[in-house]
Amino acid sequence: METPERMPDGKDNRKDLRISVRNLVEFVLRSGDLDNRRTAGAKREAMQAGSRLHRKIQRRMGAGYRAEVPLKHRVSEDEFTLLVEGRADGIIERDGQVTIDEIKCVYADVNRFKEPDPVHMAQAMCYGHFCCADRGLLEVGVQVTYCNIESEEIRRFECLKTADELEQWFSGLIHEYVKWARYLYVNGLRRDESLKELQFPFPYREGQRELAVSVYRTVSREKVLFIQAATGIGKTMSTLFPAVKAMGEGLAEKVFYLTAKTITRSVAEEAFAILRERGLYMRTVTITSKEKLCVLDKPECNPDACPRAKGHFDRVNDAVYEIIHRESGITREIVLAYAKEHNVCPFEFCLDISNWVDGIICDYNYVFDPNVRLKRYFAEGQTGDYLFLVDEAHNLVPRAREMYSAELIKEEVLEARRIVKERSPRLSRALEQVNKHLLALKRECEDFQILPDVSVLALGLMKALGEMDKFLDDHREFEGRETVLDFYFSMRNFMDIYERLDDHYKIYSQMLPDGKFMVRLFCVNPAANLKQCMEQGRSTVFFSATMLPVRYYRELLSGSEEDYAVYVASPFPRENRAVYVASDVSSLYSRRNEREYDRVIAYIRAAMGGPAGELHGVLPLLPVHAGRDGPAGISGRRDTLHVPVLADDRGGAGGVSGGVFQGARGVHGRLLRHGRAVLRGHRSDRGEADRRHRGGHRASDGMHGADDFKGLFRGEGESGL
C-alpha cells in the first residue's frame, strides 16, 4: 500500500489524505489463511499478459462501454477527509442501467469459479458507490469479469446494489481504515518536523559535502546519479542524509536502501540509528529473505504445514499496528520477536510493515527482480515518489543479468511429465509436446548454438502452463508436488522473460557439463529492464568504490548518457599510503601448497618489519596450519596483526578477503587517517613504509613499491551536475 498523500488542508481545517481504491480494499478486507498452494489457481493474476487481454476485452464491448474511467470520491471521517481514487476497468451504460465492470485476467479455468473474489468485488462496489454519489443514482450494477489468458474464455459475476447499500458498506470500510490514516498523518508531521533541524552527524570530510549536495540536487531534479567514491569518504551517510532531507521537503515518500549483501544492510541500519540519535524521527524496516525468517526448516506457507499460516490475515494487522507504534529501527530480530508473539508469518508480516515506514532496507531483488519485486509498490503501471539508493552498485550488473534471464532444461520437463503422467493425461501430453520441441533443438546442438527464436517452444509452453494451472488446483497434495511446482515456476519465468525479448537478449542452447540440455534466454544488457523499474520511482542513486569506467555502468544500468556522474577522490593524505605488490604469490587453487604459504607469511613478516604500530591483514583464503606460530603464522612482536580467521574442512585456518572484507573497504579509511598499515591481498598501505620505500625500492623479493603504479591513482574529480 502506498502512503496516503497529504494534501492542503481544506477550509474546515480537516486533514486531507489520498489513497487508491485497490490498496484500501486489499488492506481492510483481507482475512483467513496464508496459503501459497493457491499460487497456481484462481487467485493468481497475470500482470503483463493480463493488461493486453484487458484492452482486447474492452474493445469488444461496443459503443455503450467506456474503458479505463478515472473515478474518485471524497469522504469525511473524524478529523480526516480521505480522497479515494482509482480507475474503473469499464462502465457499461445500456437501457438506462449503469454497470461497473472489474476485469481480472487469470491462468486458471474460469468455469471452476463459484463466486468472485471478495476483494475484486469490493473494488467494483467502490466504483459503484462513487457513481451513485456523483450522478445521484438509486442503484448500480457491479460486475467482475474473469478471463482465461490462454483460451480467452470469459465468466462474469454480476449483481445489483442500491445506493444506500453501497454507502453503508463504504462507510464501514473507511471507518476501519481511519486509525491507520491517523497514524500515517501524525507520523509524517513528526518526521518532517524532525528533518527541519537535522544536521549532518559528523564533520564533513573533503568532498563529502559536495557529494551530499549532488544527491539532493539529483532527487530534486528527478534524475539518476552515478557516484564513484573512494573508500573512506562515507558514501552511506553522504547519500542517506540528503535522501531523508528530501523527504522532509516533500520530494519523496519512501527511501529504498538497496544492497547486495547482508553486511551492508547492517551498515544502513547503523546509519539510520546514528541519525535517530541526532533527532531524526523516522521508522525503517529491514526486509530479510523468506528462508532466513521462516520458522520451518523449509518455507511451506499453507495452514496444513505451518500453524502460523492458519488465520494469519486475521491477526497480522494487529501485529503491524503494535510494532509501528513501539519500534523505530525494525530489524530481523525485532520482526521475529513480534511475529512469534502474534503467531503470524514473519516474512509476510515484514512486508506488511513496509507499508507503514519511511525507509526500507533490502536486497536489490525487491525492487528490480521481476519475480521477487514488491508488487505492492511496483505493480504494472504503479508509480510513487520513491528514492532508490543502490549500494555497491557494481554488483547490480551481473545480478540484473540473472534476474532478467531464464532457462528451460529438457530433463526437468521429462521429470515433471513422469510425476504427472498417471494423474493428468492432458498435462502429460502437453509436456510431451514441449519435450519434442526441445529434442529437435538438442539434435541441432553439438555443444553450444545461438538460436534465432523459440516461438514454437513458447507456444507449447503456453498450453502446458494452462494445463499445469488446472492440475495444481485439483491436486493440492501428491508425491513429487514440490518438484512439479518448481518446474511450474521455471516455465512461468521462461514465458515472462520471453515476453521481454528484444535486441538486448541472446537466445542459445547448450549441452551442460552434466549431460543435460538447456535453452536459455540471456539478458546481455539489462539497462532497459532496470530503467522500467527506476521509472516507477522518483530518483535513483548508484554508488560504489568501483564504479569505473562510469560509461560502462551507465550503459548497463540505465542506458542513458545523460545521467549525472560524480567522482570523489580519497580524502586521506597520499603520504599515508604505500602499495606493495607481491607478484610471485597467488591464491589460485593449483598453487595452494606449503611453499606458497611460507612465502605469504614471509611477506607479512616483512610488512611488520617497519615501526611498531597496528597492522590489519585482509588476505585471500589460504589454509595455513593453525599450529604454526599461531593462527596466521605470526607471533612474537608487540605489533598486533588482526586477521579474520576461518577454519577449513582440513583443520587449517586462513584469512578472508571475500564478502565484507572484499577490498578491505571497512578497514582502509579508518586506518589511513592515522597512517597505519593495511595488508590487503597483494598490497599494504603504511605511512612509515611509504617514506622508507618511496621510489620503488624493493621491500623483499617480488614486492614492489607504490611509485610503480602511479597510473592507478586519479586526482580530484569534478561534479557532473
Side-chain angles (χ1 to χ4, degrees):
M1 179 187 302
E2 83 276 12
T3 302
E5 180 182 340
R6 296 202 306 274
M7 299 175 293
D9 289 350
K11 293 181 180 179
D12 60 358
N13 292 322
R14 287 182 178 271
K15 303 169 181 64
D16 289 352
L17 302 173
R18 178 185 287 130
I19 188 172
S20 72
V21 167
R22 179 170 182 168
N23 284 312
L24 174 65
V25 299
E26 285 184 348
F27 176 72
V28 174
L29 297 181
R30 61 183 181 171
S31 62
D33 302 338
L34 177 64
D35 195 344
N36 66 353
R37 295 173 300 185
R38 297 174 184 170
T39 300
K43 299 286 183 179
R44 186 181 184 90
E45 282 189 63
M47 304 301 290
Q48 292 180 334
S51 296
R52 292 190 296 274
L53 198 50
H54 258 69
R55 294 188 287 271
K56 190 172 183 179
I57 294 170
Q58 290 164 341
R59 286 194 297 268
R60 292 174 179 171
M61 295 301 292
Y65 191 97
R66 287 195 297 143
E68 302 299 328
V69 182
L71 294 171
K72 58 185 177 181
H73 182 68
R74 195 180 296 269
V75 60
S76 297
E77 177 82 15
D78 295 343
E79 72 269 36
F80 297 100
T81 296
L82 270 71
L83 178 63
V84 187
E85 56 189 352
R87 188 180 296 270
D89 292 328
I91 296 181
I92 308 167
E93 297 187 50
R94 296 192 181 111
D95 302 324
Q97 176 68 52
V98 176
T99 300
I100 305 297
D101 189 25
E102 183 69 23
I103 303 172
K104 301 297 179 183
C105 297
V106 297
Y107 284 105
D109 183 354
V110 297
N111 290 315
R112 301 184 178 211
F113 292 3
K114 296 180 180 179
E115 60 184 12
D117 186 296
V119 172
H120 298 163
M121 179 57 76
Q123 287 180 253
M125 290 172 65
C126 282
Y127 295 130
H129 173 59
F130 298 172
C131 279
C132 288
D134 291 346
R135 303 188 188 186
L137 302 177
L138 297 179
E139 63 182 19
V140 67
V142 288
Q143 172 179 286
V144 179
T145 299
Y146 290 104
C147 182
N148 180 273
I149 288 175
E150 181 194 10
S151 66
E152 298 188 10
E153 190 171 1
I154 289 175
R155 182 165 188 188
R156 294 183 171 93
F157 295 90
E158 183 180 0
C159 62
L160 196 64
K161 296 288 185 180
T162 67
D164 289 341
E165 283 181 293
L166 291 173
E167 182 177 13
Q168 184 175 358
W169 171 83
F170 187 74
S171 295
L173 197 68
I174 293 299
H175 180 75
E176 178 63 26
Y177 179 73
V178 80
K179 73 173 185 179
W180 299 90
R182 183 178 294 108
Y183 161 79
L184 286 171
Y185 186 83
V186 173
N187 180 75
L189 290 178
R190 293 187 64 181
R191 179 201 66 209
D192 293 350
E193 189 64 29
S194 73
L195 283 166
K196 290 179 182 178
E197 304 299 327
L198 186 67
Q199 300 294 318
F200 196 78
F202 309 112
Y204 280 108
R205 298 172 185 167
E206 183 180 351
Q208 200 170 24
R209 182 190 297 273
E210 291 75 11
L211 177 55
V213 170
S214 297
V215 172
Y216 186 89
R217 191 177 299 155
T218 299
V219 173
S220 66
R221 296 178 182 176
E222 302 185 41
K223 298 292 186 179
V224 175
L225 173 64
F226 288 81
I227 298 172
Q228 159 64 32
T231 296
I233 190 68
K235 292 184 290 296
T236 299
M237 191 61 75
S238 298
T239 53
L240 190 57
F241 175 74
V244 298
K245 290 290 279 188
M247 291 187 73
E249 299 297 323
L251 299 178
E253 59 183 273
K254 278 189 191 296
V255 173
F256 287 81
Y257 193 100
L258 309 176
T259 74
K261 302 170 185 174
T262 301
I263 188 64
T264 41
R265 291 196 278 280
S266 301
V267 172
E269 290 172 348
E270 293 171 6
F272 272 113
I274 290 170
L275 291 176
R276 289 191 192 97
E277 292 173 358
R278 268 66 171 184
L280 175 65
Y281 185 86
M282 180 179 286
R283 287 181 172 82
T284 61
V285 66
T286 301
I287 298 179
T288 311
S289 69
K290 180 182 291 188
E291 289 74 17
K292 291 183 178 179
L293 284 175
C294 186
V295 296
L296 304 178
D297 292 336
K298 186 173 183 178
E300 287 190 67
C301 302
N302 67 77
D304 293 335
C306 179
R308 296 195 186 185
K310 182 71 174 176
H312 166 88
F313 290 113
D314 299 327
R315 300 182 297 271
V316 70
N317 281 3
D318 289 339
V320 172
Y321 196 77
E322 180 177 350
I323 198 171
I324 61 176
H325 281 82
R326 290 188 176 183
E327 308 292 343
S328 294
I330 303 174
T331 62
R332 173 180 178 270
E333 291 72 26
I334 293 174
V335 168
L336 288 171
Y338 278 81
K340 182 178 181 180
E341 179 183 347
H342 289 270
N343 194 34
V344 294
C345 168
F347 180 70
E348 294 294 332
F349 175 45
C350 185
L351 297 184
D352 286 340
I353 294 168
S354 73
N355 292 333
W356 309 98
V357 299
D358 302 304
I360 299 174
I361 303 168
C362 61
D363 188 89
Y364 300 154
N365 290 343
Y366 295 105
V367 172
F368 296 119
D369 191 320
N371 293 315
V372 182
R373 64 198 312 248
L374 302 173
K375 299 298 190 294
R376 62 191 66 204
Y377 305 112
F378 309 120
E380 185 179 9
Q382 188 171 330
T383 61
D385 283 328
Y386 308 133
L387 306 185
F388 304 131
L389 306 181
V390 187
D391 196 359
E392 294 189 335
H394 61 280
N395 289 310
L396 184 56
V397 173
R399 287 280 299 275
R401 282 173 169 159
E402 290 301 315
M403 291 174 192
Y404 293 102
S405 298
E407 57 272 336
L408 194 67
I409 296 177
K410 181 179 181 297
E411 286 69 20
E412 292 181 0
V413 178
L414 292 174
E415 177 63 14
R417 180 176 178 270
R418 183 190 64 79
I419 295 172
V420 306
K421 185 175 182 179
E422 301 299 325
R423 298 179 174 90
S424 175
R426 287 174 61 90
L427 175 56
S428 178
R429 288 194 294 271
L431 291 175
E432 177 57 27
Q433 288 300 311
V434 173
N435 181 61
K436 286 181 178 179
H437 296 317
L438 289 170
L439 182 60
L441 294 172
K442 180 179 179 180
R443 287 170 176 165
E444 298 175 0
C445 177
E446 293 184 5
D447 181 39
F448 175 93
Q449 183 177 16
I450 297 292
L451 303 174
D453 69 73
V454 285
S455 56
V456 176
L457 175 61
L459 286 173
L461 282 172
M462 178 66 78
K463 183 175 181 180
L465 278 169
E467 294 297 334
M468 185 76 82
D469 274 312
K470 298 173 188 176
F471 175 78
L472 291 174
D473 274 348
D474 291 340
H475 300 79
R476 294 294 182 91
E477 298 294 340
F478 61 89
E479 186 177 352
R481 187 179 193 278
E482 186 174 331
T483 299
V484 173
L485 196 59
D486 287 343
F487 178 66
Y488 168 83
F489 287 123
S490 294
M491 286 196 299
R492 172 72 61 225
N493 185 53
F494 191 92
M495 290 304 300
D496 288 344
I497 298 301
Y498 177 78
E499 295 291 335
R500 296 176 178 268
L501 291 183
D502 58 19
D503 292 341
H504 296 119
Y505 278 82
K506 291 294 182 184
I507 308 173
Y508 65 87
S509 59
Q510 183 179 11
M511 296 300 304
L512 300 177
D514 59 1
K516 294 180 179 179
F517 177 71
M518 174 186 72
V519 173
R520 190 160 201 237
L521 313 177
F522 179 62
C523 182
V524 180
N525 185 345
N529 292 315
L530 294 175
K531 190 171 184 178
Q532 288 179 3
C533 300
M534 290 186 279
E535 287 175 346
Q536 292 185 271
R538 178 188 180 95
S539 186
T540 302
V541 178
F542 296 104
F543 55 101
S544 173
T546 50
M547 191 69 84
L548 294 175
V550 170
R551 177 174 294 181
Y552 168 83
Y553 288 102
R554 277 198 295 213
E555 180 181 351
L556 293 178
L557 294 179
S558 73
S560 175
E561 287 291 325
E562 303 301 317
D563 290 337
Y564 296 156
V566 172
Y567 174 79
V568 184
S570 172
F572 305 113
R574 290 192 58 146
E575 61 269 18
N576 284 359
R577 177 174 58 204
V579 178
Y580 300 100
V581 177
S583 59
D584 61 341
V585 295
S586 171
S587 58
L588 288 174
Y589 182 81
S590 59
R591 289 186 51 179
R592 295 183 185 179
N593 52 55
E594 292 295 321
R595 181 179 177 184
E596 202 77 8
Y597 307 151
D598 288 338
R599 190 174 292 148
V600 170
I601 292 173
Y603 284 135
I604 295 175
R605 286 189 172 128
M608 296 180 69
E614 187 174 3
L615 175 67
H616 286 240
V618 185
L619 311 172
L621 183 58
L622 296 173
V624 180
H625 292 304
R628 182 192 296 172
D629 294 331
I634 302 293
S635 65
R637 282 184 54 90
R638 58 193 180 92
D639 305 61
T640 304
L641 176 66
H642 300 277
V643 181
V645 174
L646 294 178
D648 68 10
D649 56 4
R650 290 166 294 180
V656 182
S657 67
V660 67
F661 298 105
Q662 184 174 358
R665 290 178 187 152
V667 180
H668 280 200
R670 187 167 64 253
L671 301 181
L672 285 171
R673 286 198 298 273
H674 307 291
R676 295 176 182 173
V678 178
L679 182 64
R680 171 182 166 239
H682 285 64
R683 69 186 189 216
S684 172
D685 298 346
R686 190 180 180 96
E688 284 297 323
D690 186 58
R691 286 186 281 277
R692 291 178 58 192
H693 300 295
R694 186 173 295 149
H697 301 297
R698 289 184 180 275
S700 180
D701 289 342
M703 182 178 285
H704 308 289
D707 285 356
D708 292 335
F709 302 93
K710 286 182 179 179
L712 297 178
F713 301 100
R714 297 173 180 265
E716 294 292 330
E718 296 293 332
S719 170
L721 299 180

